Amino acid sequence: MIPSLFTLGNLFFGFLAIIWTMNGNYQVASGLIILSVLMDSMDGKVARKLSVSTDFGRELDSLCDVVSFGVAPAILTYKVLLEGHMGFWGVLLAAAFALCGAVRLARFNVLNITTHFVGVPITFAGGLMALLVLFYQSLPWIVYPIALALLAFLMVSSFKVPKLGK
Amino acid sequence: MIPSLFTLGNLFFGFLAIIWTMNGNYQVASGLIILSVLMDSMDGKVARKLSVSTDFGRELDSLCDVVSFGVAPAILTYKVLLEGHMGFWGVLLAAAFALCGAVRLARFNVLNITTHFVGVPITFAGGLMALLVLFYQSLPWIVYPIALALLAFLMVSSFKVPKLGK
């Protein structure tokens, strides 16, 4: 119950990030996604501490992650940087990021490996994009489509990524 | 593989619906969510026909559903009808719809019942909201927060809903 509240907090902030993106408050939207990363790291910790990891919690976690770290950062990056420079190609690239994130989560849940990650975790990819958008006024725009494409690829790739900081 | 393409089509149109909502094309956004409903009904049919239902497919399906039928209709309804009339309360109501959708999907995957649904399916709830938004110029605005709250409640309720048209 308690870990699920953090998980739902993750989705709540991801949802708010999309609304704030829509209203043009890009830095607040980035901050909300980063807040989702914190919520996401809390739910696992709390679940392990209370020894209440459940299938329900794991399912819910993925469903929230795809929104907060797949869809929300893709929409944010599209709106802030790709729309003006790439038009509809930007929509396709942003959608590809969200789709790769969903594929990664589905594969991770099925493989059920606990010792390491296969491919870059969506929380890392989405959190990094949000962090990059915080500095969109200082970085060249081309950084963003490259980062989005690279992270999308790394999410569905088969690289082993060690788990840090349980 | 082939059913998963329909599933990803579902997410793709749901993602586009959010972008189109952001750009003020509300009727196109509604249409895109309804297109997602069609994609979603296709993937299950194709998977059963080809006898290739997999755990991966089922996981991916839920991940796409939460975006296309939870987040996208909530964002659309908020933007078109709630923002002007309800302000931040509208954000909370729209977020509650998305959160209830995620809880419903997580519960459904864990229960793994195949004979009937427990609670209203998210595809129905999200599809109905998109359909209602198509007629937002003819219906009184109060219909929308009521429908959103009622469907959110019905998704997480424990009513048995018969499965129709396999």
Side-chain angles (χ1 to χ4, degrees), chain A residues 5 28 41 48 52 69 72-73 82 87 95 110 118 122 128-129 131 134 139-140 152 166:
Chain A
L5 290 182
V28 177
S41 75
R48 277 188 292 272
V52 289
F69 311 125
L82 308 187
V110 173
V118 176
I122 189 171
L128 182 59
M129 282 314 304
L131 206 60
L134 268 186
L139 293 170
K166 268 218 169 179

Side-chain angles (χ1 to χ4, degrees), chain B residues 69-86:
Chain B
F69 310 126
V71 173
I75 298 269
L76 176 64
T77 309
Y78 167 74
K79 191 69 196 166
V80 181
L81 291 136
L82 308 187
E83 190 178 35
H85 290 100
M86 295 175 72

Side-chain angles (χ1 to χ4, degrees), chain A residues 9-25:
Chain A
N10 160 2
L11 175 54
F12 180 66
F13 291 124
F15 187 87
L16 288 191
I18 300 175
I19 302 265
W20 259 248
T21 299
M22 216 157 57
N23 295 338
N25 297 314

Side-chain angles (χ1 to χ4, degrees), chain B residues 149-160:
Chain B
L150 194 66
L151 288 167
F153 169 74
L154 289 175
M155 281 195 283
V156 292
S157 70
S158 300
F159 291 110
K160 280 190 187 181

Side-chain angles (χ1 to χ4, degrees), chain B residues 4-86:
Chain B
S4 291
L5 291 181
F6 285 102
T7 310
L8 289 174
N10 161 2
L11 176 54
F12 180 67
F13 290 124
F15 186 87
L16 289 191
I18 299 174
I19 302 265
W20 260 249
T21 299
M22 219 158 55
N23 295 338
N25 296 313
Y26 305 133
Q27 258 129 355
V28 176
S30 305
L32 286 164
I33 294 170
I34 293 164
L35 214 55
S36 288
V37 176
L38 294 180
M39 289 281 144
D40 190 49
S41 74
M42 290 297 289
D43 67 3
K45 277 196 187 115
V46 172
R48 277 187 293 272
K49 206 145 211 169
L50 301 174
S51 306
V52 288
S53 293
T54 58
D55 282 345
F56 173 81
R58 226 163 44 97
E59 289 286 338
L60 190 63
D61 199 37
S62 295
L63 292 165
C64 297
D65 287 355
V66 74
V67 175
S68 298
F69 310 126
V71 173
I75 298 269
L76 176 64
T77 309
Y78 167 74
K79 191 69 196 166
V80 181
L81 291 136
L82 308 187
E83 190 178 35
H85 290 100
M86 295 175 72

